[in-house]
């Protein structure tokens, strides 16, 4: 079956040069963006209930832009003035760049990884005498505590925000040729919203091995997968598949 419509289970990209918009132009497909999950902040009093006192930490580990937003939100809620001496360990350049929303970059001690959390670990190890706080979601990747425990550093995890299933009732009678997922939480949201979902002719595209497992555990057939050596991004994987099926 030819591909004409795609639903991406994420917010619409805010940048004009997103590869999704190029894909729409090149392949003449319709792409809708609907987040299947969203983030909700935890109250300051709930952070206190986790026995977290922000003044006890000398370094913050930031794995995402959500972690940045919610750390500073909680600091503000708890009337904690983040000291200029605080060290920030950012998983990627994108997270470090986003940190500028809250701090004057050149005046702070900011350490930046490449992309994965494992790639950040040499920097954390170099400062192993710090007291690290990891402001996290309730869906923390297992890799993170594993790496930190292996480093034998003094670190504490605290849930600052939660991943919540979005209400997708508006999609009940809408059908797409391809559904695109980026996390196990997205798969979970699909079945929470539509417990009787049947795949039939719908193609499922997934990003990452944990998402593949979540999909197959639910009995879904995975038709498109990224990253692969040939298609390192989801848009490349989608384009390759669309070209193959639409020319038949």
């Amino acid at each position: 079956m030819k591909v004409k419509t795609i639903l991406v289970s994420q917010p619409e990209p805010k940048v004009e040069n997103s590869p999704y918009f190029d894909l729409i132009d090149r392949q003449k497909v319709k792409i809708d963006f609907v987040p299947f999950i969203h983030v909700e902040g935890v109250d300051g009093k709930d952070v206190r209930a986790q026995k977290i006192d922000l003044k006890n930490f000398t370094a913050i580990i930031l794995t995402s832009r959500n972690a940045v937003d919610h750390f500073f939100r909680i600091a503000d809620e708890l009337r904690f003035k983040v000291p200029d001496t605080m060290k920030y360990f950012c998983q990627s350049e994108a997270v470090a760049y986003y940190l500028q929303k809250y701090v004057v970059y050149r005046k702070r001690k900011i350490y930046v990884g490449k992309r994965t959390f494992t790639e950040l670990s040499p920097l954390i190890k170099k400062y192993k005498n710090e007291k690290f706080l990891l402001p996290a979601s309730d869906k923390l990747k297992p890799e993170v505590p594993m790496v930190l425990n292996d480093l034998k550093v003094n670190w504490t995890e605290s849930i600052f925000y939660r991943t919540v299933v979005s209400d997708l009732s508006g999609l009940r009678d809408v059908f797409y040729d391809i559904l695109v997922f980026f996390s196990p939480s997205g798969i979970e949201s699909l079945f929470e919203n539509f417990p009787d979902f049947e795949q039939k002719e719908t193609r499922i595209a997934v990003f990452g091995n944990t998402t593949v497992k979540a999909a197959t555990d639910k009995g879904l057939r995975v038709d498109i997968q990224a990253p692969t050596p040939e298609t390192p991004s989801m848009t490349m994987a989608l384009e390759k598949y669309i070209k193959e099926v639409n020319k038949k």
Side-chain angles (χ1 to χ4, degrees):
M1 283 179 65
K2 289 190 174 183
V3 173
K4 295 178 182 175
T5 58
I6 300 171
L7 177 63
V8 176
S9 60
Q10 284 191 330
E12 184 169 347
K14 291 179 181 174
V15 292
E16 290 179 12
N17 61 347
S18 166
Y20 282 104
F21 300 140
D22 293 337
L23 181 62
I24 291 168
D25 289 339
R26 281 197 299 267
Q27 300 304 322
K28 309 302 179 207
V29 291
K30 179 178 186 287
I31 301 182
D32 289 337
F33 298 89
V34 178
F36 276 37
I37 55 174
H38 63 277
V39 164
E40 289 182 0
V42 165
D43 286 340
K45 66 178 189 299
D46 293 326
V47 171
R48 271 207 195 98
Q50 297 172 49
K51 297 184 178 170
I52 296 296
D53 186 343
L54 297 181
K55 73 174 183 293
N56 292 339
F57 299 95
T58 59
I60 310 295
I61 299 171
L62 299 164
T63 57
S64 69
R65 288 182 291 187
N66 278 325
V68 175
D69 280 335
H70 289 284
F71 168 71
F72 286 98
R73 176 186 62 80
I74 289 292
D76 191 50
E77 243 182 81
L78 300 181
R79 297 196 172 109
F80 172 71
K81 188 179 186 305
V82 182
D84 294 349
T85 53
M86 185 69 80
K87 294 182 175 70
Y88 301 93
F89 291 80
C90 301
Q91 182 168 321
S92 66
E93 280 188 14
V95 175
Y97 182 77
Y98 189 72
L99 188 58
Q100 294 181 83
K101 182 178 173 183
Y102 297 96
V103 301
V104 181
Y105 204 88
R106 68 182 184 277
K107 293 184 178 179
R108 297 293 182 272
K109 294 174 180 177
I110 298 168
Y111 309 91
V112 187
K114 292 178 182 174
R115 190 175 57 86
T116 67
F117 192 77
T118 302
E119 289 168 327
L120 179 62
S121 64
L123 290 168
I124 295 173
K125 186 177 182 180
K126 196 174 172 183
Y127 293 90
K128 64 189 309 179
N129 293 328
E130 302 294 335
K131 292 181 179 176
F132 293 94
L133 174 66
L134 176 74
S137 82
D138 57 331
K139 305 276 187 187
L140 184 64
K141 289 181 180 175
E143 170 200 15
V144 176
M146 204 181 304
V147 167
L148 291 171
N149 288 334
D150 285 347
L151 291 174
K152 294 183 169 55
V153 293
N154 182 347
W155 73 283
T156 302
E157 175 192 350
S158 180
I159 295 173
F160 276 39
Y161 55 102
R162 298 185 187 281
T163 304
V164 180
V165 167
S166 300
D167 177 9
L168 304 176
S169 53
L171 296 175
R172 181 164 295 282
D173 299 316
V174 185
F175 299 93
Y176 292 88
D177 297 319
I178 299 177
L179 301 180
V180 183
F181 296 95
F182 292 87
S183 70
S185 300
I187 303 289
E188 183 186 319
S189 176
L190 174 69
F191 283 94
E192 277 206 31
N193 278 279
F194 311 111
D196 53 351
F197 176 80
E198 292 180 25
Q199 184 172 356
K200 296 181 182 175
E201 299 300 323
T202 303
R203 270 60 59 88
I204 300 290
V206 297
F207 192 91
N209 293 332
T210 56
T211 316
V212 171
K213 184 177 186 309
T216 53
D217 284 352
K218 286 289 189 181
L220 296 175
R221 180 189 70 252
V222 173
D223 303 283
I224 304 158
Q225 188 176 343
T228 68
E230 193 181 354
T231 56
S233 72
M234 178 54 77
T235 48
M236 290 171 75
L238 288 169
E239 185 148 34
K240 179 176 181 288
Y241 181 85
I242 292 165
K243 280 179 177 175
E244 287 171 1
V245 299
N246 283 10
K247 73 180 179 185
K248 289 178 184 176

